[in-house]
Structure formats: structure tokens, C-alpha cells
Amino acid sequence: MDDLSTIRSEALGAVQQAADLAALDAARVAALGKKGSVSGLMKTLGGSALSARLVNEKIDVSLPARPEGQGSLHPIGQVMDELAAIFGEMGFTWADGPDIEDDWHNFTALNIPPDHPARQMQDTFYLPPRADGTPMVLRTHTSPVQARTMLDKNVQRMLADGGSLRIIVPGRTFRIDNDATHTPMFHQVEGLVIDRTTHMGHLKGCVHDFCRAFFEVDDLPLRFRPSYFPFTEPSAEADIGCSWKDGELRIGAGDSWLEILGSGMVHPNVIANCGLDPAIYQGFAFGMGIDRIAMLKYGIPDLRSFFDSDLRWLRHYGFSTLEWPSLTQGLGR
Ligand code: DAH
């Protein structure tokens, strides 16, 4: 306060004694300028508040530190990373598409015309149509991303240059279904290879290599069974060898088989619908349930538990966020 009254009288004195404008301005600068006496005093305000705080606040340095929570990865995310590691090694890249899909990409492009009975195979969630009348659905499978990718002009140019298209599409899918083995939202991974020479033998080799790597069983038997899908011809379902002992499943050579995916050579109609010439291009596709292979690999008994958001469950089945799955360092824990 003393400082303040001295500054005040000095400043007022300087104003009174100012004989001309220049002297008056000098008096203003001396008090209120950047380096002036009032400004100097303002700067000390912060300092006095800090010393008051330091006097009043006490820190107890003997208190234990708060523990840091360590999160974990959901098994679905983990398995998606494992898929990326395995298929990445085979030259596949990760492709995406929308969860809300139009009827054309979800069905028609995939050789499932409007009145086709195959539409009843999938219990579809229909959405209100777009303003232009386009019928919309929640995608019932990841297969529409096949069409989205083949229609991509950059992909078509790459194929015309003699390249090979290899994608996996891990993602969410939706069907009206709810019991111990079905949930209305679930996950699939689609695989697609398109070029001029890829054949059924490549499909089988690719699926077999994947299954051996994913389940970490070198001599895992694989068999193809003839099947039907509108978007492939010929179509096959793939089974891996397994056995059951005291109600426990063991994956590997055994006396039983376990269905693992649907697949086939991409139907020429699909290739044509996607703007490519089926006389030039061919390839294979497959579709697999991610939740299902996660349950099989990690011994998770109930599909619904994946989506309960129970932290105790996640602590038990979750994965370290610091370990990235790789073929050389190991996939799972
Ligand atoms: N989209 C099929 C489904 O969800 C799965 C499938 C089967 C995908 C065969 C494919 C395939 O790409 O070739 O039921």
C-alpha cells in the first residue's frame, strides 16, 4: 500500500509539473507504460498470491500414488488384428464399407435379385428408404464390400495393369437373430482375390494356410464340402479337423470336423455387375464369422458375453494393448 501511495503522489506531482504535452506524455509513460511504476506493481500481484498459497497449502508427500488403470483389448479386436497379421503376410490389405448399406450392394450386385429366395436366407433389418427411394438395410454380411472394391476406379486401373486385388474386410454385420449362438450384431471377415489366373487351388491353399496360422496347429486337416452361395460358383464350405474329449473341444487332427467358413470362385455375374469383364477376370472369395473363430480359439462358451460390456469378463478374456500380433512373435497370448 505504501508503494501505491508513493507511486500515486509521484505520478500526480509529475502531471502537475508538466509544462507541455511532451512532459505530460512522459509522466503517463513513467506511470502506465510497459516499464512504468503502476505496471511494475501489477506484476508483483501474481507473486504475492503464490506466496499466500504456499503458506496455506500443505502437500503430504508420504501419501501412496494412485494406481494407474491398465485397459485391455476385446477379443474381437484382438482377432481382427490377428487376421490382419496373417492375411497381411499373404499380401492382403484391409478394406472397409458402411454398416448402413443399400439393397443393391448388399444383394443385387452379389447376384441376389429382388425376388430371389436367397434373400430369405438372411433375416434382414430393413431401414427406411433414402429420399430418392433407394431401399436401405443394415448390411447382413461383409460381402457388399466386394462390390464396392471392384467398382473402385483405382482398383480397376490396377487390375487392367495386370495387378492382383487382395482384400480382407473385417467388420460388423447385422441380422434379426438372438440366442446363445446368434446376436443381432456380429462380426464377419470377407476375403476377396481377383486377377486373371487365381483358381480354386489357390483358395484352398490360402484358407488352409490361414487356419494353420490362426489356430497355431501345423498339421491341421482341412476339407472342402460342396455348398451353395449365390455369389460364388462353384461354392464350398471349409471344415477343420477337431476332436471332443470330456465335452472339451480340441482343434487339430481328430475324428470330428468343425465348419469354419463359406467360400468359392466369384460368380461371373458378380464380376460383371461390378464393372469387370468376367472373360478376363476371375478369383475367389470367402466369408467367416469372427466371433465364432474367436470363441473356438480362446474357449469362450457364450457368444452373447462378447457384447455384455462386463469388465470382469474383459479382464479375464481381454488382451494386452502392448503386444501387436505377428506371425514371428506369436499371435495370441
Ligand atoms: N456372405 C456369406 C454369409 O454371410 C458368407 C460367404 C460365403 C461369403 C461364401 C463369401 C463366400 O465371400 O464366398 O452368409
Side-chain angles (χ1 to χ4, degrees), residues 110 121-122 140-143 146 173 175 186 188-191 229 231-232 235-236 261-266 284-288:
L110 297 166
M121 282 162 62
Q122 306 191 341
T140 56
H141 47 183
T142 42
S143 309
Q146 286 191 27
T173 44
R175 286 183 206 179
F186 57 107
Q188 284 191 341
V189 58
E190 193 80 11
F229 300 102
F231 28 87
T232 45
S235 305
L261 55 77
S263 64
M265 295 303 292
V266 179
F284 66 74
F286 59 83
M288 188 163 42

Side-chain angles (χ1 to χ4, degrees), residues 208 211-221 241 250-253:
H208 204 174
C211 290
R212 279 196 288 239
F214 180 76
F215 290 106
E216 297 171 270
V217 178
D218 280 344
D219 59 352
L220 183 61
R250 205 187 59 89
I251 289 175

Side-chain angles (χ1 to χ4, degrees), residues 145-160:
V145 185
Q146 286 191 27
R148 290 190 170 273
T149 311
M150 281 188 267
L151 281 162
D152 184 308
K153 288 282 169 270
N154 290 325
V155 168
Q156 298 196 346
R157 217 167 297 130
M158 180 273 291
L159 285 172

Side-chain angles (χ1 to χ4, degrees), residues 21 75 100 117 120 164 181 233 238 246 252 286-287 332:
L21 266 184
I100 296 176
Q120 266 90 60
S164 175
T181 50
E233 183 59 36
D246 305 325
F286 59 83

